[in-house]
Amino acid sequence: MARSVRSIHSYSDSDPFGNVLRELHYAETPVGRSARLREERNAQQLSNEIDRRLDQERIALERATHDVTLLVLGPRGSGKSTLQKHFQLLYEPKVIDTERPAWKPVVHSNIISNVSFLLDLLQQHGPSMSASGSSSSEEQEGGPLSAILSQQTLTRLRRELRHVVLRHDAWSPWEDRYQLPQWLSVHGQEVFVRHGWQKVLSGSHGGGEGGIDPDDPTSPSFATLPATKLSDLVSENAEKIKAFWKHPVVQRVVHTHARWGRFGAGFFLNDLERISDDNYVPSAEDILKCRCQTIGVEETTVQVPYGPRPYRNLTLYDISGVGGKSSKAWSGHFTEVNSILFLFDLACFDEFEGKPRRNRMAVALDEFLAVCRNHDLRKVNIIVFLTKVDLLQRKVETGVRIQDWISSYGNNRANTVKVAKTYFEDQLRSKFQTSQSERVKAGSRTARERQLYVCTANLLQTADAQRAIKEARDIIFMKLLVHGLWSV
Ligand SMILES: Nc1nc2c(ncn2[C@@H]2O[C@H](COP(=O)(O)OP(=O)(O)OP(=O)(O)O)[C@@H](O)[C@H]2O)c(=O)[nH]1
Ligand SMILES: [Mg+2]
């Protein structure tokens, strides 16, 4: 007994404390010894638990301190949601994967909205034009559309597609009729989604066990997804829609009106066969192409690998539709953001919006200036993403002349993507400079520290978008390192 105690606790003879302790342990009964050992074990467990919690708190604090927040701004349709999807695809691909089934009603409503838009385009450029003449591009394409599209044909097409056509003028009873999910709504020809809609679908967030298996149409979550009537509507009318899409007048109006290019994205009419199938589940590419206007603030957090640390949390706030002049209302909540990502659509120079109607490029430049001038965000660097460069290319190739829409572009500049990109980038830099000079004049000492970066991306090309995101990430991370806010 005494030997076994000695073997556990060996105390030096020269140590006065050792002598005391040895005597104490020699006097220990077996019951007392096991009680003491139990207490020691408990104390050790408690100590380990405290260490573990302290470690956790330290890591949480470190992450909180080093988290990155970005404000995603830009006019309607400039690509903010698409950019967010790319952040997820790049850093959290599992999330997008589990959300795939939820995008099905969005793809289907995009089809319906495209058919309605096309019918309206036929009305505008078809029979009614015979009295007023035709556009020059139509002449080049082999005569006016009115020559091959009679009012009779148009009426017939409308009648055939009457079940799938959206009305412009009012909130249609569409949502009820086709049982759209609560987070999805349709107004005019626009499709809207509400904030946090993905989370509405049980098990669709965060991946992992119990979530939707996107490739298994019999998975319980998949089967209970709403909007089944909308899917029925598309599959039941697929043949009619296909015939409509292949109709020569429709093809003519598509090829002669570059502004159709705005649907280059949500352009699912070429894929009807695949998309109208009962077992269809949207691919990541389909999700990127979806057009649906965001309502409210959309928040997305991804974990970005960084140096020897496992990752940093990076949160994007998409302030949809209120990125410009009305920014005063919310900007005070975002003074600590690390950077602004401003999306600027390069292809919208020949499009109009609002009442009174204004050129969308002019609106975008005004919004950009308003963001630069915003007092709450005055210290935040801006990274501009020039988007839709592919559409710009398509427009100039089909003969749309930028100088016809933007008078300051002038006749001396070539109508090419390269020249146009430089021109629009110069416009943005000059707005930024204007706001900086105003601040210097007003006595700001920090004005000169703020910077503007510009990168270009076709957000429908995953590789190109990811290259631009990594470029932006490096700029943001580098700034944090330079200012000593981060260590590797
Ligand atoms: N061709 C092309 N289409 C793009 C590009 N970027 C985005 N799109 C498409 O443009 C449409 C609008 O993009 P969104 O990301 O929804 O635009 P948004 O800025 O979030 O729009 P709001 O939510 O209305 O403010 C979608 O159909 C996208 O697929 C691009 O670089 N090229
Ligand atoms: Mg959006």
Side-chain angles (χ1 to χ4, degrees), residues 44-58:
Q44 188 59 49
Q45 271 175 4
L46 190 64
S47 161
N48 289 347
E49 177 60 18
I50 291 170
D51 282 351
R52 197 181 62 80
R53 290 206 184 164
L54 283 174
D55 269 353
Q56 268 181 350
E57 275 171 25
R58 183 182 52 75

PDB file of all heavy atoms in Angstrom, residues 44-58:
ATOM      1  N   GLN A  44      -8.980  18.813 -12.414  1.00  0.00           N
ATOM      2  CA  GLN A  44      -8.285  18.878 -13.708  1.00  0.00           C
ATOM      3  C   GLN A  44      -9.281  19.077 -14.852  1.00  0.00           C
ATOM      4  O   GLN A  44      -9.063  19.885 -15.762  1.00  0.00           O
ATOM      5  CB  GLN A  44      -7.494  17.579 -13.921  1.00  0.00           C
ATOM      6  CG  GLN A  44      -6.563  17.593 -15.130  1.00  0.00           C
ATOM      7  CD  GLN A  44      -5.543  18.716 -15.036  1.00  0.00           C
ATOM      8  OE1 GLN A  44      -4.904  18.868 -14.003  1.00  0.00           O
ATOM      9  NE2 GLN A  44      -5.437  19.525 -16.087  1.00  0.00           N
ATOM     10  N   GLN A  45     -10.421  18.349 -14.775  1.00  0.00           N
ATOM     11  CA  GLN A  45     -11.452  18.481 -15.824  1.00  0.00           C
ATOM     12  C   GLN A  45     -11.983  19.903 -15.884  1.00  0.00           C
ATOM     13  O   GLN A  45     -12.155  20.483 -16.951  1.00  0.00           O
ATOM     14  CB  GLN A  45     -12.604  17.521 -15.538  1.00  0.00           C
ATOM     15  CG  GLN A  45     -12.378  16.155 -16.163  1.00  0.00           C
ATOM     16  CD  GLN A  45     -13.460  15.168 -15.765  1.00  0.00           C
ATOM     17  OE1 GLN A  45     -14.424  15.539 -15.075  1.00  0.00           O
ATOM     18  NE2 GLN A  45     -13.292  13.928 -16.157  1.00  0.00           N
ATOM     19  N   LEU A  46     -12.219  20.460 -14.656  1.00  0.00           N
ATOM     20  CA  LEU A  46     -12.740  21.833 -14.593  1.00  0.00           C
ATOM     21  C   LEU A  46     -11.736  22.804 -15.222  1.00  0.00           C
ATOM     22  O   LEU A  46     -12.087  23.682 -16.012  1.00  0.00           O
ATOM     23  CB  LEU A  46     -13.011  22.198 -13.129  1.00  0.00           C
ATOM     24  CG  LEU A  46     -13.765  23.491 -12.910  1.00  0.00           C
ATOM     25  CD1 LEU A  46     -15.174  23.381 -13.491  1.00  0.00           C
ATOM     26  CD2 LEU A  46     -13.860  23.822 -11.409  1.00  0.00           C
ATOM     27  N   SER A  47     -10.456  22.568 -14.855  1.00  0.00           N
ATOM     28  CA  SER A  47      -9.421  23.453 -15.378  1.00  0.00           C
ATOM     29  C   SER A  47      -9.337  23.351 -16.906  1.00  0.00           C
ATOM     30  O   SER A  47      -9.223  24.348 -17.618  1.00  0.00           O
ATOM     31  CB  SER A  47      -8.103  23.086 -14.709  1.00  0.00           C
ATOM     32  OG  SER A  47      -7.043  23.571 -15.449  1.00  0.00           O
ATOM     33  N   ASN A  48      -9.432  22.070 -17.412  1.00  0.00           N
ATOM     34  CA  ASN A  48      -9.405  21.894 -18.876  1.00  0.00           C
ATOM     35  C   ASN A  48     -10.583  22.594 -19.534  1.00  0.00           C
ATOM     36  O   ASN A  48     -10.445  23.220 -20.590  1.00  0.00           O
ATOM     37  CB  ASN A  48      -9.475  20.405 -19.235  1.00  0.00           C
ATOM     38  CG  ASN A  48      -8.188  19.694 -18.891  1.00  0.00           C
ATOM     39  OD1 ASN A  48      -7.185  20.355 -18.611  1.00  0.00           O
ATOM     40  ND2 ASN A  48      -8.222  18.368 -18.889  1.00  0.00           N
ATOM     41  N   GLU A  49     -11.762  22.480 -18.907  1.00  0.00           N
ATOM     42  CA  GLU A  49     -12.965  23.091 -19.470  1.00  0.00           C
ATOM     43  C   GLU A  49     -12.811  24.621 -19.528  1.00  0.00           C
ATOM     44  O   GLU A  49     -13.161  25.262 -20.509  1.00  0.00           O
ATOM     45  CB  GLU A  49     -14.186  22.682 -18.611  1.00  0.00           C
ATOM     46  CG  GLU A  49     -15.524  23.280 -19.022  1.00  0.00           C
ATOM     47  CD  GLU A  49     -15.938  22.900 -20.439  1.00  0.00           C
ATOM     48  OE1 GLU A  49     -15.397  21.920 -20.983  1.00  0.00           O
ATOM     49  OE2 GLU A  49     -16.785  23.625 -21.010  1.00  0.00           O
ATOM     50  N   ILE A  50     -12.238  25.174 -18.391  1.00  0.00           N
ATOM     51  CA  ILE A  50     -12.036  26.641 -18.378  1.00  0.00           C
ATOM     52  C   ILE A  50     -11.081  27.037 -19.499  1.00  0.00           C
ATOM     53  O   ILE A  50     -11.324  27.991 -20.240  1.00  0.00           O
ATOM     54  CB  ILE A  50     -11.517  27.108 -17.001  1.00  0.00           C
ATOM     55  CG1 ILE A  50     -12.635  26.942 -15.964  1.00  0.00           C
ATOM     56  CG2 ILE A  50     -11.033  28.555 -17.033  1.00  0.00           C
ATOM     57  CD1 ILE A  50     -12.208  27.138 -14.523  1.00  0.00           C
ATOM     58  N   ASP A  51      -9.984  26.250 -19.662  1.00  0.00           N
ATOM     59  CA  ASP A  51      -9.022  26.558 -20.740  1.00  0.00           C
ATOM     60  C   ASP A  51      -9.696  26.505 -22.105  1.00  0.00           C
ATOM     61  O   ASP A  51      -9.485  27.358 -22.963  1.00  0.00           O
ATOM     62  CB  ASP A  51      -7.880  25.527 -20.744  1.00  0.00           C
ATOM     63  CG  ASP A  51      -6.886  25.830 -19.641  1.00  0.00           C
ATOM     64  OD1 ASP A  51      -7.021  26.908 -19.026  1.00  0.00           O
ATOM     65  OD2 ASP A  51      -6.009  24.985 -19.389  1.00  0.00           O
ATOM     66  N   ARG A  52     -10.559  25.456 -22.280  1.00  0.00           N
ATOM     67  CA  ARG A  52     -11.221  25.292 -23.580  1.00  0.00           C
ATOM     68  C   ARG A  52     -12.120  26.495 -23.872  1.00  0.00           C
ATOM     69  O   ARG A  52     -12.100  27.064 -24.948  1.00  0.00           O
ATOM     70  CB  ARG A  52     -12.049  24.004 -23.569  1.00  0.00           C
ATOM     71  CG  ARG A  52     -12.460  23.491 -24.944  1.00  0.00           C
ATOM     72  CD  ARG A  52     -13.299  22.223 -24.830  1.00  0.00           C
ATOM     73  NE  ARG A  52     -14.545  22.457 -24.105  1.00  0.00           N
ATOM     74  CZ  ARG A  52     -15.634  22.995 -24.632  1.00  0.00           C
ATOM     75  NH1 ARG A  52     -15.638  23.359 -25.888  1.00  0.00           N
ATOM     76  NH2 ARG A  52     -16.724  23.170 -23.901  1.00  0.00           N
ATOM     77  N   ARG A  53     -12.878  26.913 -22.826  1.00  0.00           N
ATOM     78  CA  ARG A  53     -13.779  28.064 -23.037  1.00  0.00           C
ATOM     79  C   ARG A  53     -13.004  29.339 -23.317  1.00  0.00           C
ATOM     80  O   ARG A  53     -13.389  30.152 -24.149  1.00  0.00           O
ATOM     81  CB  ARG A  53     -14.665  28.260 -21.811  1.00  0.00           C
ATOM     82  CG  ARG A  53     -15.667  27.145 -21.712  1.00  0.00           C
ATOM     83  CD  ARG A  53     -16.888  27.566 -20.988  1.00  0.00           C
ATOM     84  NE  ARG A  53     -17.758  26.415 -20.850  1.00  0.00           N
ATOM     85  CZ  ARG A  53     -18.763  26.337 -20.030  1.00  0.00           C
ATOM     86  NH1 ARG A  53     -19.044  27.362 -19.269  1.00  0.00           N
ATOM     87  NH2 ARG A  53     -19.514  25.270 -19.973  1.00  0.00           N
ATOM     88  N   LEU A  54     -11.891  29.497 -22.576  1.00  0.00           N
ATOM     89  CA  LEU A  54     -11.080  30.702 -22.811  1.00  0.00           C
ATOM     90  C   LEU A  54     -10.556  30.720 -24.244  1.00  0.00           C
ATOM     91  O   LEU A  54     -10.559  31.752 -24.913  1.00  0.00           O
ATOM     92  CB  LEU A  54      -9.907  30.749 -21.822  1.00  0.00           C
ATOM     93  CG  LEU A  54     -10.266  31.177 -20.392  1.00  0.00           C
ATOM     94  CD1 LEU A  54      -9.058  31.053 -19.473  1.00  0.00           C
ATOM     95  CD2 LEU A  54     -10.783  32.617 -20.375  1.00  0.00           C
ATOM     96  N   ASP A  55     -10.120  29.529 -24.710  1.00  0.00           N
ATOM     97  CA  ASP A  55      -9.634  29.422 -26.094  1.00  0.00           C
ATOM     98  C   ASP A  55     -10.728  29.795 -27.076  1.00  0.00           C
ATOM     99  O   ASP A  55     -10.508  30.552 -28.023  1.00  0.00           O
ATOM    100  CB  ASP A  55      -9.198  27.982 -26.383  1.00  0.00           C
ATOM    101  CG  ASP A  55      -7.733  27.790 -26.062  1.00  0.00           C
ATOM    102  OD1 ASP A  55      -7.081  28.806 -25.764  1.00  0.00           O
ATOM    103  OD2 ASP A  55      -7.266  26.625 -26.102  1.00  0.00           O
ATOM    104  N   GLN A  56     -11.918  29.235 -26.805  1.00  0.00           N
ATOM    105  CA  GLN A  56     -13.058  29.522 -27.705  1.00  0.00           C
ATOM    106  C   GLN A  56     -13.335  31.013 -27.745  1.00  0.00           C
ATOM    107  O   GLN A  56     -13.544  31.604 -28.799  1.00  0.00           O
ATOM    108  CB  GLN A  56     -14.302  28.803 -27.201  1.00  0.00           C
ATOM    109  CG  GLN A  56     -14.478  27.439 -27.802  1.00  0.00           C
ATOM    110  CD  GLN A  56     -15.746  26.772 -27.289  1.00  0.00           C
ATOM    111  OE1 GLN A  56     -16.382  27.272 -26.358  1.00  0.00           O
ATOM    112  NE2 GLN A  56     -16.090  25.653 -27.893  1.00  0.00           N
ATOM    113  N   GLU A  57     -13.363  31.629 -26.543  1.00  0.00           N
ATOM    114  CA  GLU A  57     -13.658  33.068 -26.488  1.00  0.00           C
ATOM    115  C   GLU A  57     -12.592  33.873 -27.219  1.00  0.00           C
ATOM    116  O   GLU A  57     -12.881  34.832 -27.910  1.00  0.00           O
ATOM    117  CB  GLU A  57     -13.764  33.528 -25.034  1.00  0.00           C
ATOM    118  CG  GLU A  57     -15.153  33.285 -24.481  1.00  0.00           C
ATOM    119  CD  GLU A  57     -15.235  33.535 -22.990  1.00  0.00           C
ATOM    120  OE1 GLU A  57     -14.426  34.303 -22.477  1.00  0.00           O
ATOM    121  OE2 GLU A  57     -16.135  32.937 -22.360  1.00  0.00           O
ATOM    122  N   ARG A  58     -11.328  33.435 -27.034  1.00  0.00           N
ATOM    123  CA  ARG A  58     -10.243  34.164 -27.701  1.00  0.00           C
ATOM    124  C   ARG A  58     -10.391  34.073 -29.225  1.00  0.00           C
ATOM    125  O   ARG A  58     -10.302  35.061 -29.934  1.00  0.00           O
ATOM    126  CB  ARG A  58      -8.889  33.564 -27.273  1.00  0.00           C
ATOM    127  CG  ARG A  58      -7.679  34.286 -27.850  1.00  0.00           C
ATOM    128  CD  ARG A  58      -6.386  33.615 -27.419  1.00  0.00           C
ATOM    129  NE  ARG A  58      -6.348  32.177 -27.671  1.00  0.00           N
ATOM    130  CZ  ARG A  58      -6.181  31.626 -28.865  1.00  0.00           C
ATOM    131  NH1 ARG A  58      -6.030  32.383 -29.910  1.00  0.00           N
ATOM    132  NH2 ARG A  58      -6.183  30.311 -29.023  1.00  0.00           N
TER     133      ARG A  58
END
